[in-house]
Amino acid sequence: KKEQKALFVIFGGTGDLAQRKLYPALFNLYKRGYLKKHFAVIGTARRPWSNGYYRDVVRSSIDGMVNFQTQIDEFASHFYYQSHNVNDVDHYETLRVLADKLDQDYGLEGNRLYYLAMSPSFFGTICEHLKSQGLTKTAGYNRVIIEKPFGHDYASAKELNDEISKYFPEEATFRIDHYLGKEMIQNIMALRFGNSILSAIWNNKMISNIQVTLSESLGVEERGGYYDTAGALRDMVQNHILQIVALLVMDRPDSYCAKDVRKRKVETFEALKIYSPEEVAQNFVRGQYGEGKDMVAYRDESMIAPDSMTETFVAGKLEVDNCDMAGVPIYIRTGKRLATKATRIDIVFKQDDDSLFGGQGLADNTVTINVEPDTGIDFTLNTKKIGQEFATRQTNIGYRLTEEQVAKVPEAYERLILNALQGNSVNFTHWDELEYSWKFVDAIRNAWDQEDLPVDYFPNYACGTMGPQASDELLAKAGHHWIF
Ligand code: BG6
């Protein structure tokens, strides 16, 4: 019963995301037997490619996996290319005919997944025509998978959602946040709710503060056109960081199913404090990278305006007013061109009384979830310093996935596509969550827009550092410090 029968229709089939993420993910599902005989893929985009050329592209996108040559050939034979103009109604007719034929040939039982891996400005049109031209009129399921960015602010996200939901109901809409597909992000719930030694102390009596760091060493790369209109707040905080925060502070769901998990996440978002402009100034810091060793400043990157005021770094303090976590500062931080690539979560516990040990202070008590590239969990504890005196020293207890285990971890896209095939939306973002997260982000963005900083405010951090000094000061003024 493992095999999933379905037709994938990928809009943006020639694109970067499809080649870097989707085709390798589909191939992994194929290797593991989730996709077998009964699947087919139609790739669409404007370019006039042949099936043969398309299959070559698919093959080369999974070429690193050389040991599987015969499998790769067999796999690639399930791919079909259809040149397509998303605004041209007739093209959907051609698409429908091909889809129906493949449905017959491969025995797909009318199951269809439409993957929208292109500019969101086309999402509405595509969904409309899929419906009006009868592509969704099948005996099986019809689901749509949507890539980010889902809107630019609350108003545009709502407009986009209103359009899509005219044609696809919420249950059939799968909004991707690839962080939710990461092994260690999915581990948050297991850790929190599978260990009484943690669940008992996961509250504002015991936790001093929470720190979420999504640090990147890469710069903006070739995505300047998009990034300069987005910035770090929209690119990383609105989606990935707020989703992680929700998993960290939400109450225990009644069950591990989409409905119950979403309920808890939405409650958390509702309890997230939306800041006034004065509060934004107190609680949020932004930065933009200047040059560093062998690295150019953000403003000198291609497709970036020389006087761009877009932030490539954000640090902030969040508050969630739900009973267990009320008053616990949640510090978040993300940026490009920082010292290193590291996604990690540090839970910092309150300090114990140190008088027994001569009042010399105790080291931080923390639980760290290392998401990537380091994968594992660390506890830092105070233990007795070896020797005659009665003093303490910091000790680290760590669990690391072995290389072998890491190799077995399904990639985020592989996991999420399988979830979508199975109709399981537990790891996708519900519209209600988006609604709140955009309102939170809009308040910050609007406050910043009113601030009217001088052009020379940026750059304010050098490539290869951990961001502007103000990020450290944000914690220092509450008597805290970044653990990482
Ligand atoms: C994407 C952002 O959502 O996440 C990128 O648009 C960012 O700017 C990327 O680089 C980071 O993802 P990961 O999985 O490499 O940590």
Side-chain angles (χ1 to χ4, degrees), residues 260-273:
D260 290 335
V261 174
R262 280 174 166 180
K263 180 160 172 255
R264 291 293 183 244
K265 280 164 82 183
V266 172
E267 286 166 3
T268 309
F269 281 116
E270 279 172 336
L272 181 66
K273 183 163 181 205

Side-chain angles (χ1 to χ4, degrees), residues 148 178-179 182 216 223 235-236 240 336 341:
K148 59 167 269 196
H178 77 284
Y179 269 66
K182 293 184 191 267
E216 298 189 86
R223 289 163 74 233
D235 188 49
M236 300 289 274
H240 311 320
K336 300 239 180 241
K341 167 82 185 172

